[in-house]
């Protein structure tokens, strides 16, 4: 039976009351929630607690849908620049932090870890704890908020989060740059990333043999920047209309392009993109989209994971399976498990109430 | 064998005899850092040259339960690298190699003793730079920046040091050598790299750090505006923020700070200003051209009596020189001063400054203000004369009241200097017992014997040798400055 707490105190009580507890936001990354123990539905902890636009910060309860936040921010001309993943599918703030997923906009200003300022969480002993702060700059105490990014509900249950936000660019424009082969794609991506143009987002879509680049700037500046990029690769650059632009980034954020039942996140970097794409090309039913200037590959896997696991291990990469059957492994490839990982788990969750990491 | 020479002998086997100091002359050079009111003489100073030597020393410390303090250039303003009397100092300045600079992945891999600015200088050849720019960037090291999550003048837009650290190889206080993160800007699993940044040396020593590099902005547009009151300058900041612009920097200095900077570096700030505001836009030329029009309109609607735009890189440098030298310059107005580092919600800046002014008037203690206005990060400079009976104590009491005000306003006791030795008594003002208990459990996971920089961050017994010593010698020479 699932519990549905409506306050941080109730989450703490639930943790104390059960031998094993796991937590679910909207379930957009379902595999991360699978496991034994009482399931806590976080949808009851919903709503913005503080939002002062001129502070560039907001605080909200962890079960609040990202979409709700984005709407409130948009009213004041602001946004979370890293385009949190799966907002359209209902992803919550807490789930997004625990998964540590950032979308295409991460390219320009950084991701989840860079915008999270403070958290309130329930540790494995059922104690309510705060870490970080509610101002844009703070260096007091250990940075547990960052540690919670990617902690997958294994180190604590987030009940409240505080973020930094930015003013949203007045206008954006998205360009499609042809990228015939992975090697050429990387070369062009590196060129864009090092350029004066300051792209806000930069994705590589192997299926379409294309790079997508999003600029954000006042209107006149957009025309001039776009013209220069078009001149850089004559005949190979196209400007997307508004509808196509919207669809492009929605596809990136929601992974609507993915056909496979299994989905994997693989942190990567430009120098290793071509090798990863080559690996993916060699696997039946496997497809990749590289986001955030080649910082991350999102994989869709229709067939067995074995070959992918081996390939990632050989490439020295590591993937996180966030959608797929419960008996599939969570981690794929070469994962290091230093003693400090177990020691931190022991420090925050001494009785092992949360799933193993 | 005497205890001292036994220690020396043991350490000499780990590094080399000529890189272990136990004599008074050498030890004296390490007994203080940028916060000169504290002094403690360590038992020895070890100067490793390789990360293997650092690992060996840390393992020896762990095995023998000897406390250690890792130190770079010793510019901490919170007493973060203050030695422990019963322990040793591991001086990391000779681990100063940039191991890798990769323009494709846009990362640099560096040793802890590399100077902050040297990263940007090296990366500049590839059109890249390292964004965090503490005022001491010409001398402070990456190891110290990582340990204290250092800031600078560009944090609102680009974040602090932690936002630019992607991975590291570190030796923990237990002697375990770990690798966190990597060269990707993304990670999976709990973010140990982020947790290590700002841990104030309580977890261990970062041996190799992978830094995120950014492309150099094509151009800067730096504006200096003079105001007749501090409040008007504050209102201008609000107007800029509310306009939707995202400047790279938004800085304010008050009259006393301007007077000091003018005397020290002749920065040519508007005469008779009660406050100056520095706003800097950066980016592609077309974008800056459009935004500068917007900025001009905003500033024209404020009450600035003089506004000036840097025409070239040299004029920009002069404007920044005034700002970055302000703190040491204040040393000309007073034999001693304390730099505070509190943060308030930006919308309460005006109120905070007014209250600091009132406290200053009430106590008769002069306070100069220089601050990162866009971040709400205050740097009140509390002037005092350490030779006066109780001078330091009165200044510290005022500093404490300011920190308490910051916490009460929902801010923080430190924006970028860290808690260190200086502000540890104020940590419980910001966090509950449960919050601090978790931090202690985390610390115990990394350092069960409490040998890595003990006595910092958490409230503890009286700090050693609390006396006024005036400016740091390097500061007097104008080599380093405080921010």
């Amino acid at each position: 039976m699932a519990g549905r707490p409506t306050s941080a105190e109730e989450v703490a009580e639930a943790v104390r009351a059960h031998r094993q507890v796991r937590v679910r936001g909207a379930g957009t990354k379902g595999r991360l929630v699978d496991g034994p123990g009482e399931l806590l539905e976080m949808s009851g902890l919903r709503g913005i607690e503080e939002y002062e636009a001129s502070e560039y910060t907001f605080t909200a309860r962890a079960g609040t849908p990202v979409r709700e936040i984005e709407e409130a921010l948009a009213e004041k001309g602001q946004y979370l620049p890293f385009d949190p993943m799966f907002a359209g599918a209902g992803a919550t703030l807490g789930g997004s932090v625990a998964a540590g997923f950032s979308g295409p906009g991460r390219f320009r200003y950084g991701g989840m870890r860079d915008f999270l300022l403070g958290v309130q969480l329930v540790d494995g002993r059922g104690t309510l704890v705060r870490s970080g702060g509610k101002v844009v700059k703070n260096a007091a105490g250990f940075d547990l908020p960052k540690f919670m990014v990617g902690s997958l509900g294994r180190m604590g249950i987030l009940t409240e989060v505080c973020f930094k936000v930015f003013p949203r660019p007045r206008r954006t424009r998205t360009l499609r740059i042809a990228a015939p082969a992975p090697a050429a794609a990387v070369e062009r991506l590196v060129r864009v990333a090092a350029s004066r143009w300051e792209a806000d987002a930069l994705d590589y879509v192997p299926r379409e043999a294309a790079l997508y680049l999003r600029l954000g700037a006042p209107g006149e500046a957009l025309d001039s920047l776009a013209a220069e990029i078009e001149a850089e690769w004559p005949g190979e650059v196209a400007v997307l209309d508004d509808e196509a632009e919207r669809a492009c980034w929605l596809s990136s954020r929601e992974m609507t392009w993915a056909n496979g039942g299994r989905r994997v996140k693989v942190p990567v970097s430009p120098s290793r993109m071509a090798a990863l794409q080559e690996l993916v090309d060699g696997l039946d039913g496997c497809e990749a989209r590289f986001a955030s200037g080649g910082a991350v590959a999102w994989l869709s896997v229709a067939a067995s994971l074995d070959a992918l696991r081996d390939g990632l291990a050989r490439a020295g990469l590591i993937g996180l399976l966030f959608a797929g059957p419960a008996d599939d492994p969570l981690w794929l490839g070469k994962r290091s498990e230093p003693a400090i990982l177990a020691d931190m788990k022991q420090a925050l969750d001494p009785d092992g109430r949360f799933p193993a990491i | 064998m005497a205890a001292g020479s036994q220690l020396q002998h043991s350490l000499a086997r780990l590094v080399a005899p000529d890189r272990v100091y136990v004599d008074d002359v050498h030890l004296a050079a390490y007994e203080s850092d940028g916060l000169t009111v504290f002094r403690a003489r360590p038992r020895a100073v070890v100067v490793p040259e390789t990360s293997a030597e650092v690992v060996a020393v840390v393992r020896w410390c762990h095995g023998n339960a000897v406390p250690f303090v890792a130190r770079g250039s010793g510019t901490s303003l919170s007493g973060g690298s203050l030695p422990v009397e019963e322990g040793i100092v591991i001086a990391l300045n000779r681990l100063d190699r940039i191991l890798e600079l990769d323009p494709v992945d846009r990362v640099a891999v560096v040793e802890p003793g590399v100077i902050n600015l040297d990263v940007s200088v090296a990366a500049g050849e590839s059109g890249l730079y390292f964004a965090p720019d503490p005022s001491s960037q010409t001398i402070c090291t990456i190891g110290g920046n990582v340990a204290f999550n250092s800031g600078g003048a560009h944090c609102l837009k680009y974040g602090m040091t932690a936002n630019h650290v992607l991975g590291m190889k570190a030796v923990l206080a237990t002697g375990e050598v770990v690798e966190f993160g990597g060269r990707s800007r993304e990670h999976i699993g709990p973010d140990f790299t982020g947790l290590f940044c700002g841990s104030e040396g309580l977890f261990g020593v970062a041996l190799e750090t992978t830094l995120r590099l950014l492309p150099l902005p094509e151009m800067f547009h730096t504006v200096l505006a003079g105001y007749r009151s501090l409040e008007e300058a504050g209102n201008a900041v609000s107007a800029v923020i509310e306009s939707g612009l995202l400047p790279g920097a938004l800085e304010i200095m008050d009259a006393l700070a301007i007077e000091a900077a003018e005397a020290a570096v002749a920065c040519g700030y508007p005469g008779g200003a009660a406050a100056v505001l520095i706003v800097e836009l950066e980016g592609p030329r077309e974008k800056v051209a459009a935004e500068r029009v917007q900025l001009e309109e905003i500033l024209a609607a404020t009450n600035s009596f003089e506004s000036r735009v840097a025409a070239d890189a040299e004029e920009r440098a002069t404007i920044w020189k005034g700002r970055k030298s302000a703190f040491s310059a204040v040393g000309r107005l007073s034999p001693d001063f304390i730099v505070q580092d509190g943060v308030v919600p930006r919308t309460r800046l005006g109120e905070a400054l007014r209250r600091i002014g009132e406290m200053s008037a009430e106590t008769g203690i002069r306070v100069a203000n220089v601050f990162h206005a866009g971040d709400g990060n205050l740097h009140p400079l509390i002037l005092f004369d350490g030779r006066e009976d109780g001078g330091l104590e009165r200044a510290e009491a005022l500093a404490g009241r300011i920190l308490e005000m910051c916490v009460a306003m929902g801010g923080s006791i430190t924006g970028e200097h860290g808690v260190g030795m200086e502000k540890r008594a104020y940590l419980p003002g910001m966090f509950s017992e449960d919050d601090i208990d978790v931090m202690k459990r985390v610390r115990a996971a990394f350092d069960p014997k409490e040998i890595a920089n003990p006595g910092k961050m958490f409230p503890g017994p009286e700090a050693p040798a609390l006396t006024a010593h005036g400016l740091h010698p390097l500061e007097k020479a104008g080599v380093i400055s405080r921010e």
Side-chain angles (χ1 to χ4, degrees):
Chain A
M1 199 199 91
R4 189 173 176 275
T6 56
S7 69
E9 289 71 22
E10 284 180 24
V11 175
E13 275 167 35
V15 169
R16 290 194 295 267
H18 297 92
R19 177 68 194 84
Q20 286 184 302
V21 184
R22 60 210 167 91
V23 57
R24 181 180 180 277
T28 57
K29 301 160 285 276
R31 175 65 187 84
L32 304 180
V33 180
D34 290 332
E38 172 82 2
L39 183 67
L40 299 184
E41 296 279 1
M42 296 299 282
S43 53
L45 268 80
R46 181 168 177 164
I48 297 173
E49 296 188 329
E50 288 172 46
Y51 173 39
E52 177 71 53
S54 53
E55 288 294 347
Y56 283 3
T57 60
F58 74 83
T59 304
R61 304 214 286 169
T64 311
V66 171
R67 200 169 40 200
E68 202 170 301
I69 295 293
E70 293 192 314
E71 282 163 9
L73 295 176
E75 277 179 29
K76 303 281 185 185
Q78 297 184 332
Y79 74 143
L80 285 165
F82 54 93
D83 300 336
M85 294 291 284
F86 307 117
T92 62
L93 285 172
S96 299
V97 173
F101 285 8
S102 302
R106 157 185 241 300
F107 179 65
R108 175 76 178 101
Y109 294 111
M112 185 71 71
R113 74 188 295 264
D114 302 302
F115 284 83
L116 182 65
L117 299 172
V119 297
Q120 182 194 54
L121 60 90
V122 174
D123 72 5
R125 306 204 286 203
T127 307
L128 265 177
V129 174
R130 281 190 185 279
S131 180
K134 290 186 175 179
V135 281
V136 295
K137 200 174 186 187
N138 171 32
F142 297 138
D143 200 340
L144 281 176
K146 281 202 179 57
F147 189 72
M148 297 310 286
V149 175
S151 63
L152 308 174
R154 269 68 174 169
M155 297 286 181
I157 299 178
L158 295 164
T159 49
E160 184 189 285
V161 290
C162 176
F163 277 93
K164 169 163 120 171
V165 299
F166 272 171
R168 172 189 285 278
R170 294 265 157 90
R171 293 187 52 199
T172 62
R173 186 165 302 169
T174 295
L175 308 182
R176 180 187 193 279
I177 304 171
V186 173
E187 191 192 314
R188 290 178 177 192
L189 178 140
V190 168
R191 167 79 187 97
V192 173
S195 72
R196 70 177 195 91
W197 306 321
E198 286 194 352
D200 283 349
L202 179 61
D203 275 19
Y204 167 44
V205 185
R207 181 202 292 181
E208 300 177 30
L211 297 176
Y212 288 95
L213 171 166
R214 187 173 76 213
L215 297 167
E220 324 75 276
L222 284 180
D223 293 339
S224 162
L225 289 166
E228 185 174 302
I229 296 167
E230 290 185 72
E232 176 87 15
W233 295 288
E236 298 191 84
V237 180
V239 176
L240 271 54
D241 63 28
D242 290 353
E243 177 59 28
E245 176 179 55
R246 204 188 56 81
C248 168
W249 302 113
L250 193 68
S251 169
S252 182
R253 291 182 68 176
E254 303 294 327
M255 276 186 87
T256 49
W257 55 270
N259 300 314
R262 296 182 171 91
R263 296 175 182 195
V264 181
K265 173 187 168 181
V266 183
V268 63
S269 61
S271 65
R272 294 171 296 178
M273 280 172 66
L276 179 56
Q277 182 54 33
E278 195 178 314
L279 166 68
V280 168
D281 277 339
L283 301 174
D284 275 343
C286 189
E287 191 177 350
R289 178 171 175 138
F290 294 84
S292 187
V296 61
W298 300 101
L299 308 186
S300 157
V301 190
S304 145
L305 285 173
D306 296 345
L308 178 62
R309 278 174 84 171
D310 297 346
L312 288 176
R314 274 196 308 276
L317 294 169
I318 162 172
L320 175 72
L321 182 88
F322 62 93
D327 50 357
D328 272 355
L330 202 57
W331 307 95
L332 309 174
K334 185 177 180 272
R335 181 177 178 228
S336 76
E337 291 181 56
I340 189 63
L341 179 66
D343 293 342
M344 275 298 288
K345 173 76 172 162
Q346 179 69 26
L348 296 175
D349 179 22
D351 305 322
R353 283 194 160 89
F354 307 135
I357 186 147
Chain B
M1 206 184 289
S5 60
Q6 201 170 17
L7 176 83
Q8 184 180 12
H9 183 69
S10 301
L11 293 170
R13 282 194 317 201
L14 303 173
V15 289
D18 63 344
R19 287 188 278 115
V20 178
Y21 305 134
V22 292
D23 60 292
D24 285 347
V25 175
H26 275 100
L27 297 184
Y30 286 89
E31 66 184 19
S32 193
D33 60 14
L35 184 65
T36 50
V37 294
F38 298 127
R39 283 191 181 187
R41 187 162 293 196
R43 287 167 66 192
V45 175
V46 189
V47 187
E49 286 182 343
T50 64
S51 54
E53 287 181 352
V54 179
V55 173
V57 171
V58 169
R59 286 183 175 161
W60 181 87
C61 286
H62 179 71
N64 295 281
V66 172
F68 64 89
V69 178
R71 175 183 158 121
S73 297
T75 56
S76 172
L77 293 174
S78 59
S81 52
L82 180 77
V84 175
E85 276 171 353
E86 66 276 24
I88 65 167
V89 167
I90 305 176
L92 296 163
N93 304 71
R94 291 200 196 173
L95 277 88
D96 61 353
R97 285 155 286 229
I98 295 177
L99 301 171
E100 200 186 336
L101 212 151
D102 182 347
V104 171
D105 286 345
R106 304 186 312 285
V107 296
V109 182
V110 306
E111 290 188 326
V114 170
I115 304 284
N116 172 299
L117 188 62
D118 288 353
V119 179
S120 286
V121 169
E125 291 173 22
S126 307
L128 301 168
Y129 79 115
F130 178 59
D133 63 339
S135 277
S136 54
Q137 72 179 138
T138 55
I139 184 165
C140 66
T141 62
I142 296 296
N145 293 173
V146 169
F148 281 80
N149 194 12
S150 304
H154 295 80
C155 293
L156 181 64
K157 190 167 182 178
Y158 294 109
M160 322 228 308
T161 298
N163 304 109
H164 301 269
V165 176
L166 303 175
M168 61 179 62
K169 179 178 165 191
V171 56
L172 306 183
T174 53
E176 185 188 9
V177 174
V178 294
E179 286 189 37
F180 297 145
R183 56 203 294 137
S184 174
R185 278 148 158 81
E186 268 289 313
H187 73 280
I188 49 179
D191 186 357
F192 274 96
T193 309
L195 178 65
F196 196 97
C197 292
S199 59
E200 305 202 352
L202 272 61
F203 290 173
V205 183
L207 303 169
E208 292 175 13
T209 305
T210 304
L211 305 174
R212 168 170 86 147
L213 302 176
L214 302 180
L216 281 162
E218 182 185 11
M219 73 172 293
F220 295 96
H221 175 71
T222 311
V223 182
L224 179 74
Y227 290 87
R228 296 287 182 209
S229 78
L230 202 49
E231 197 178 345
E232 285 173 350
N235 290 343
V237 170
S238 297
V240 171
I241 292 280
E242 276 155 26
S243 73
L245 285 176
L246 182 60
L250 265 173
E251 303 280 311
I252 291 181
M253 290 165 64
D254 74 0
L256 199 50
I258 298 167
E259 180 193 330
E262 205 62 63
V265 297
C267 45
Y269 285 1
V276 291
L277 167 69
I278 301 171
V279 190
E280 187 165 273
L281 302 171
E282 25 130 271
R285 57 182 181 271
E286 303 88 337
K287 200 170 167 181
V288 171
E291 289 182 349
R292 77 175 275 182
V293 173
Q294 200 186 342
L295 180 63
E296 274 158 18
E297 284 166 10
I298 296 162
L299 292 182
T302 66
N303 285 326
S304 77
F305 67 90
E306 188 177 335
S307 170
R308 204 182 285 171
V309 174
D312 51 31
E314 200 178 317
E315 285 188 26
R316 174 179 181 244
T318 306
I319 290 177
W320 277 111
K321 193 174 181 188
R323 166 62 186 84
K324 293 210 170 190
S325 68
F327 288 17
S328 356
V330 165
R332 292 173 174 247
L333 305 180
S334 170
D336 300 283
F337 65 97
I338 296 175
V339 183
Q340 266 307 343
D341 178 39
V343 183
V344 296
R346 210 195 42 73
T347 46
R348 299 186 73 174
L349 257 182
E351 183 190 347
L353 291 166
R354 195 174 59 244
R355 284 177 55 188
I356 291 172
E358 286 163 9
M359 288 184 227
S360 168
E362 220 174 88
T363 54
I365 299 172
R366 288 191 300 167
V367 179
N369 285 289
V370 177
F371 50 98
H372 306 301
D375 303 329
N377 189 184
L378 305 164
H379 287 311
L381 296 131
I382 300 161
L383 312 188
F384 69 99
D385 185 344
R387 289 163 304 190
E388 274 176 23
D389 220 22
L392 171 64
E393 288 72 16
R394 285 192 297 277
E396 294 237 303
L398 176 58
R401 283 176 66 192
I402 294 173
L403 290 184
E404 281 159 4
M405 174 197 76
C406 292
V407 173
M409 286 184 169
S412 173
I413 57 174
T414 172
E416 55 187 7
H417 298 170
V419 178
M421 177 61 77
E422 183 201 21
K423 291 181 284 286
R424 54 190 193 146
Y426 298 93
L427 196 72
M430 238 182 116
F431 295 105
S432 73
E433 263 177 52
D434 285 341
D435 303 343
I436 292 178
D437 178 59
V438 162
M439 287 190 223
K440 286 185 171 168
R441 278 187 275 143
V442 168
R443 189 255 192 108
F446 280 89
D447 179 17
K449 292 187 178 176
E450 298 190 4
I451 54 168
N453 209 11
K456 314 295 162 59
M457 191 187 289
F458 296 109
E462 183 71 9
L466 183 64
T467 50
H469 292 285
L471 294 189
H472 191 284
L474 286 172
E475 199 166 20
K476 273 185 184 148
V479 175
I480 62 169
S481 54
R482 311 184 202 182
E483 182 172 24

